[in-house]
Amino acid sequence: MTFSWISAYWPLLLTGAVQTLSLLVISVVVGFVIAIGLAFAQVSGGPILRSLARGYCTFFRGTPLLIQLWLLYYGVGSLLPLIPGIRQSLFWPILREGFFFAAVSFTLNYAAYEAEVLRGALLAVPKGELEAGRAFGMRPLTLTRRIWLPRAVRIALPTIGGEIVMQLKATPLAFTVTVMDLYAVATKVRQDTLLVYEPLIVVTVFYLIITAIIARSFRFLEAQVPVRR
């Protein structure tokens, strides 16, 4: 095995790593915010809102992420240029890139999975804590912000960490819509040098390192805020 090619391809490898991490961060952060709304809609929303949230989660959890990505990129992406004035808008440089569709697809998919995790965590918060908050005169929004949501997030921390790792491992799918992520760079190296295993080994090591960082970070968070019984 030889890894001398890294000296020539390291700028591209670095760019690919940044693209991979950017997809992960965007989809996790934005998706988590969406998931909070979906989880509360299922737990305390009205019949219509509850049904819509459940339908959303069922669709995105019940269909392959690759199909969702292609529907956005090849479906919606092909329709966007038909909108009058879209090519002349400030948003066109972003909307024409595969990265945009990958980020949207990953975000919507992650939100669906995380919403189910948070829904279960919200239902697992002891009712006595919520009743105590109401007894102190907390309004629903204050109760949610100070007790219900923080306790639910703490309960769900181990699962959230696992979901982020799963999201990281899904990022190579972006390669199928022209995103030059780390896996795409490895493919280019393989095509240029005819090396098969070495580029994949580099990608594997990168994913293992990021996974270890995520796991250690969540173990640290769990130790800082122990679950109260």
Side-chain angles (χ1 to χ4, degrees):
M1 287 190 178
T2 176
F3 292 91
S4 58
W5 53 271
I6 293 180
S7 60
Y9 285 93
W10 74 263
L12 200 56
L13 288 169
L14 181 60
T15 301
V18 170
Q19 290 277 74
T20 296
L21 292 177
S22 297
L23 282 173
L24 177 65
V25 172
I26 292 172
S27 60
V28 167
V29 172
V30 180
F32 189 79
V33 174
I34 298 173
I36 292 174
L38 291 170
F40 276 107
Q42 294 184 75
V43 172
S44 57
I48 297 178
L49 193 59
R50 188 182 301 116
S51 298
L52 289 174
R54 287 177 179 174
Y56 175 96
C57 293
T58 299
F59 174 80
F60 282 98
R61 294 171 70 235
T63 55
L65 176 57
L66 181 60
I67 293 179
Q68 298 167 19
L69 177 59
W70 284 5
L71 284 175
L72 277 175
Y73 182 73
Y74 295 107
V76 177
S78 64
L79 296 177
L80 284 179
L82 301 179
I83 299 176
I86 191 69
R87 288 181 178 273
Q88 290 74 37
S89 69
L90 297 175
F91 302 104
W92 180 244
I94 298 175
L95 297 177
R96 69 183 180 184
E97 297 294 332
F99 184 90
F100 169 78
F101 295 96
V104 171
S105 178
F106 290 173
T107 298
L108 297 178
N109 184 269
Y110 179 81
Y113 281 92
E114 206 59 52
E116 288 299 305
V117 172
L118 289 176
R119 180 185 65 82
L122 289 170
L123 294 175
V125 174
K127 293 183 179 179
E129 296 185 14
L130 301 179
E131 292 172 356
R134 296 188 186 100
F136 273 101
M138 288 187 180
R139 294 183 177 181
L141 184 60
T142 304
L143 181 68
T144 299
R145 179 175 56 86
R146 300 188 63 179
I147 299 179
W148 201 6
L149 182 58
R151 289 284 284 118
V153 171
R154 174 58 189 91
I155 293 172
L157 266 183
T159 308
I160 292 174
E163 291 291 337
I164 293 177
V165 172
M166 293 296 292
Q167 188 73 359
L168 171 66
K169 292 191 292 184
T171 54
L173 292 177
F175 159 71
T176 64
V177 292
T178 72
V179 176
M180 189 57 68
D181 70 320
L182 195 59
Y183 178 76
V185 174
T187 301
K188 175 175 174 53
V189 172
R190 187 170 70 247
Q191 293 171 344
D192 292 349
T193 64
L194 301 182
L195 296 172
V196 177
Y197 299 106
E198 290 87 338
L200 294 178
I201 289 174
V202 171
V203 173
T204 299
V205 171
F206 171 82
Y207 277 90
L208 286 174
I209 291 174
I210 301 303
T211 298
I213 292 174
I214 293 172
R216 289 180 64 89
S217 299
F218 273 83
R219 290 195 189 102
F220 175 79
L221 290 175
E222 292 170 28
Q224 297 303 308
V225 189
V227 174
R228 294 176 305 212
R229 300 295 182 184

